[in-house]
């Protein structure tokens, strides 16, 4: 755990320092001052009333921004992000009971993940649609030799789809953002007993911008469909019980940096029927250019059980860090409400899709 959170805090520091260094070279919507440089030659641009400019896409679907009161959002490709990174997590699948001392846990799972997330128009509605997915490979050296699949890698897939609306603090016209998605989780060789599982949850978020730089809000999840998995006795894949997404409610504070980066911290609680009690975590992003950014997220779910073998078997954590590419050149956010056309909710991961029994 110390190593995990040392890595998490190091990543948070890196996000902050990278953003600061980037701000020295170019502010938001040069980002935010000076002339439009030749780098934007593939895009049309116009200055807004705050001295910054909004970029139009290089796509044919985006007309030149002659009227800054109506920002050009672009098509689905302009609002698509692809990402790749490293991921480490510990879930209920790593819990075992047939060890000296009772219930406990042995280790976490480490691997790599890649995916995409895109936003698109829904006719003339202010609501937009979003869809994304990810694929991860974990435990390249397998697991305990208690099941036939001991040398097989673990694979995971997440699919996220729903609707959202972003606020617009660039023009100071809309402080409210909200969205709701359905997350589907599928895994093969998951946990000590190499389970194959499929589960689903409903995830929603709502935020209120206090200013151009800060937003407060909340997000939560409710389980939808569940599965059966062997999460009790190592080496007994036939001893199965119901597993599902945990129900949680969280409050957050999000801040936007001068370089167009973002950092959100949150704390929340779980349903009393879940094995988790409460959690804390963060998500962050630091633009390296208009096209690339670093991203990271980490959380720790405190178990409901007391310290000892049972508590160690129920604690959960996750951390993911990587690089994202924005097809529309929207890596930097001029305000806390973000780039108008980009999806609002991230693709689900092991930190936002926590499992209980």
């Amino acid at each position: 755990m110390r190593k995990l959170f040392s890595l998490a805090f190091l990543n948070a520091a890196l996000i902050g320092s990278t953003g600061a260094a980037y701000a020295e070279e170019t502010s938001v919507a040069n980002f935010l001052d000076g002339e439009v440089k030749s780098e934007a030659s593939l895009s049309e641009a116009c200055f807004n009333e705050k001295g910054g400019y909004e970029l139009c896409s290089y796509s044919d679907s985006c007309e030149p921004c002659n009227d800054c009161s109506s920002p050009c959002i672009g098509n689905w490709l302009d609002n698509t992000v692809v990402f790749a990174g490293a991921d480490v997590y510990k879930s209920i699948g790593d819990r075992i009971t047939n060890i000296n001392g009772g219930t406990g846990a042995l280790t976490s799972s480490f691997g790599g993940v890649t995916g995409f997330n895109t936003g698109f128009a829904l006719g003339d509605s202010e609501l937009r649609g979003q869809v994304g997915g990810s694929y991860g490979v974990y435990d390249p050296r397998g697991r305990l030799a208690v099941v036939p699949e001991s040398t097989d890698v673990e694979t995971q897939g997440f699919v996220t789809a729903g609707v959202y609306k972003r606020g617009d603090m660039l023009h100071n016209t809309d402080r409210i953002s909200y969205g709701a998605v359905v997350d589907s989780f599928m895994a093969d060789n998951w946990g000590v007993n190499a389970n194959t599982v499929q589960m689903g949850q409903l995830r929603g978020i709502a935020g209120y911008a206090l200013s151009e730089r800060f937003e407060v809000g909340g997000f939560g999840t409710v389980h939808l469909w569940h599965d059966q998995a062997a999460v009790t006795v190592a080496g007994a894949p036939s001893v199965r019980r119901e597993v599902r997404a945990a129900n949680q409610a969280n409050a957050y504070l999000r801040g936007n940096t001068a370089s167009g980066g973002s950092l959100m911290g949150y704390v929340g609680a779980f349903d009393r029927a879940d094995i988790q009690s409460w959690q804390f975590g963060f998500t962050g992003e630091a633009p390296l250019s208009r096209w690339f950014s670093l991203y990271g997220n980490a959380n720790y779910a405190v178990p409901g059980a007391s310290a000892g073998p049972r508590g160690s078997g129920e604690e959960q954590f996750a951390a993911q860090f990587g690089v994202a590419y924005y097809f529309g050149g929207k890596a930097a956010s001029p305000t806390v409400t973000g780039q108008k056309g980009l999806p609002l909710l991230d693709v689900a991961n092991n930190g936002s899709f926590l499992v209980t029994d």
Side-chain angles (χ1 to χ4, degrees):
M1 278 303 303
R2 292 180 180 176
K3 291 182 179 179
L4 169 68
F5 282 97
S6 295
L7 180 62
F9 288 125
L10 177 62
N11 183 77
L14 178 61
I15 286 176
S17 62
T18 302
Y22 181 52
E24 293 177 0
E25 297 179 4
T26 174
S27 56
V28 174
N30 121 326
F31 285 100
L32 281 183
D33 52 64
E35 298 179 355
V36 179
K37 297 189 176 181
S38 59
E39 181 187 9
S41 60
L42 294 177
S43 308
E44 297 292 339
C46 67
F47 284 87
N48 59 41
E49 69 275 11
K50 296 181 180 179
Y53 71 74
E54 296 161 14
L55 291 172
C56 286
S57 162
Y58 48 76
S59 70
D60 294 335
S61 65
C62 188
E63 297 297 329
C65 291
N66 295 320
D67 179 7
C68 287
S69 64
S70 301
C72 192
I73 294 176
N75 64 18
W76 66 269
L77 182 59
D78 306 314
N79 296 293
T80 295
V81 185
V82 294
F83 57 89
D87 188 20
V88 61
Y89 79 97
K90 177 179 175 292
S91 186
I92 192 174
D94 300 302
R95 183 182 66 183
I96 59 177
T97 58
N98 56 332
I99 61 174
N100 294 334
T103 302
L106 294 179
T107 185
S108 57
S109 295
F110 176 81
V113 62
T114 185
F116 77 96
N117 201 10
T118 187
F120 52 90
L122 296 175
D124 296 328
S125 172
E126 68 174 1
L127 284 177
R128 291 176 58 82
Q130 68 168 86
V131 62
S134 68
Y135 180 78
V137 178
Y138 301 83
D139 300 331
R141 289 297 188 180
R143 60 196 51 76
L144 284 173
V146 293
V147 290
E149 302 86 352
S150 61
T151 60
D152 295 343
V153 299
E154 175 186 336
T155 58
Q156 288 186 8
F158 286 97
V159 176
T160 294
V163 296
Y164 70 96
K165 183 196 78 70
R166 284 187 178 272
D168 186 5
M169 289 303 290
L170 185 64
H171 303 95
N172 201 25
T173 58
D174 189 356
R175 295 178 179 269
I176 298 175
S177 300
Y178 57 84
V181 295
V182 172
D183 299 320
S184 177
F185 170 55
M186 299 150 285
D188 192 30
N189 296 319
W190 178 72
V192 175
N193 284 317
N195 295 279
T196 297
V197 294
Q198 294 185 17
M199 291 171 273
Q201 68 176 15
L202 176 66
R203 180 162 51 107
I205 189 170
Y208 181 84
L210 302 174
S211 67
E212 294 180 15
R213 296 296 176 220
F214 293 100
E215 178 184 86
V216 294
F219 67 91
T221 65
V222 176
H223 74 274
L224 294 177
W225 61 91
H226 60 266
D227 207 338
Q228 298 287 320
V231 293
T232 53
V233 181
S238 61
V239 182
R240 306 172 69 83
R241 60 191 304 166
E242 180 181 304
V243 291
R244 59 171 176 80
N247 301 323
Q248 55 178 291
N250 306 272
Y252 73 82
L253 172 65
R254 189 197 311 271
N256 201 65
T257 70
S259 65
S262 175
L263 186 63
M264 180 182 84
Y266 61 90
V267 62
F270 293 85
D271 190 318
R272 289 185 178 181
D274 298 343
I275 62 173
Q276 304 91 345
S277 176
W278 64 282
Q279 71 169 342
F280 59 92
F282 82 90
T283 66
E285 194 158 7
L288 302 173
S289 68
R290 282 177 49 204
W291 312 99
F292 289 95
S293 71
L294 298 176
Y295 74 89
N297 55 77
N299 69 312
Y300 176 73
V302 180
S306 58
R310 186 179 173 191
S312 72
E314 294 185 358
E315 69 174 351
Q316 299 186 21
F317 57 81
Q320 185 179 123
F321 311 107
V323 178
Y325 175 79
Y326 291 74
F327 281 92
K330 297 183 176 184
S333 299
T335 71
V336 72
T337 50
Q339 294 276 8
K340 191 71 173 177
L342 291 177
L344 181 62
L345 289 105
D346 293 334
V347 175
N349 56 44
N350 288 298
S352 59
F353 198 114
L354 294 169
V355 182
T356 187
D357 63 354

